[in-house]
């Protein structure tokens, strides 16, 4: 069951949240029957790959180290 009126997730990705000053991330991975790992919030799946999110964080970190 998912009720979009009671669930709110962040609109930005992990890298954007870190850029805005987030120091903690509430990660809730969900394994699909296909073996793909995505995010979810309560009963609401977030169709974004967990691996893609981690890649965004790694790329942000590499950019920060260069600056």
């Amino acid at each position: 069951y998912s009720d979009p009126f009671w669930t709110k997730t962040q609109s930005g990705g992990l890298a954007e949240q870190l850029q805005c000053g987030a120091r903690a991330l509430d990660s809730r991975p969900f394994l699909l029957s296909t073996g793909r790992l995505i995010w979810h919030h309560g009963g609401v799946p977030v169709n974004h790959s967990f691996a893609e999110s981690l890649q965004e964080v790694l790329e942000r970190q590499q950019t920060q180290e260069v600056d």
Side-chain angles (χ1 to χ4, degrees), residues 3-52:
D3 185 346
F5 298 107
W6 294 102
T7 303
K8 174 69 175 150
T9 60
Q10 299 296 325
S11 58
L14 293 184
E16 186 177 343
Q17 291 177 47
L18 292 170
Q19 185 67 32
C20 289
R23 296 294 174 252
L25 301 168
D26 182 6
S27 62
R28 300 178 190 204
F30 180 79
L31 184 61
L32 297 172
S33 61
T34 62
R36 184 170 182 241
L37 193 61
I38 64 169
W39 296 87
H40 79 96
H41 186 82
V44 179
V46 179
N47 192 21
H48 188 73
S49 166
F50 203 81
E52 290 173 7

Side-chain angles (χ1 to χ4, degrees), residues 15 18-19 54-67:
L18 292 170
Q19 185 67 32
L54 295 179
Q55 185 62 39
E56 291 169 7
V57 172
L58 289 173
E59 289 172 3
R60 178 192 180 273
Q61 184 61 32
Q62 291 169 347
T63 301
Q64 294 297 318
E65 290 174 0
V66 171
D67 290 343

